Amino acid sequence: MNWVVVGEIVKVLGAVATAAAAWFAAVIAYRGLEKWKSETVGKRRADLAASVLAGVYEAETILRAAREPWVLPHEVAKQEGVPDEIAENSSYVPERRLLEHQEFFARFRSLKHEFAAVFGKNAAKPFDELWRIRIDINHAVDNMLRNKELGKSRDPEDINLWREWYRVAFRDPIEANDELLKRVNAQVTAVEEICRPAIEARNI
């Protein structure tokens, strides 16, 4: 075989090998980039899911504690910025307790839109439901404060209405009878079903 021809073949093979190596490197780099992107997105989802789930557990604890039926003496003491007739009324206690956590609820609700962007709008519904529960407590407290006379009435309709407000504002000692607590638990379960898989996927 002519050495000139051999040299040309070697040159061609060298070029092919170089091109193949470049292509192979590009494929590896692309796969690496895709893996990195996948891991980054997965980590972001897992971190967000963990933050939201922790927030939901905290919200559950706050709502439960706010509705504790036992009222302590310092909870019916004078409070700056609140009329004495309200601050010293035991019906105001659940709202008083909740107002101590305003910053938490502001931070928690701010997560809603990011959570919806990552997990979908339907996934963020528990944020609204938990906030609605907090507002329902507020309304029940407000009704009890505005209609104090119903708490002493002997009229069956007045008694039933007062009890309806009371069962929202204060937790039933028998949890199985507490409808508002069931609503809270349903939202916790809904968030767990969304967040747990995302959190666990990070560790796979």
Side-chain angles (χ1 to χ4, degrees), residues 135-154:
I135 295 302
D136 285 348
I137 296 171
N138 172 270
H139 289 169
V141 167
D142 183 62
N143 284 326
M144 292 169 74
L145 291 172
R146 290 176 182 273
N147 303 279
K148 295 188 288 290
E149 69 281 358
L150 267 63
K152 300 176 182 179
S153 174
R154 294 184 178 180

Side-chain angles (χ1 to χ4, degrees), residues 16 68 71 84 97 99 134 143 152 163-164 179:
V16 170
E68 172 61 52
V71 175
D84 291 349
R97 292 166 176 167
L99 288 173
R134 189 261 179 268
N143 284 326
K152 300 176 182 179
R163 285 177 178 172
E164 183 180 322
E179 294 302 318

Side-chain angles (χ1 to χ4, degrees), residues 10 30 60 64 73 81 83 117 125 153 160 177 180 183 190 202:
V10 170
Y30 175 78
E60 175 191 26
R64 174 185 286 271
K125 285 184 177 179
S153 174
N160 288 335
N177 298 332
L180 190 136
R183 289 170 58 194
R202 177 175 57 185

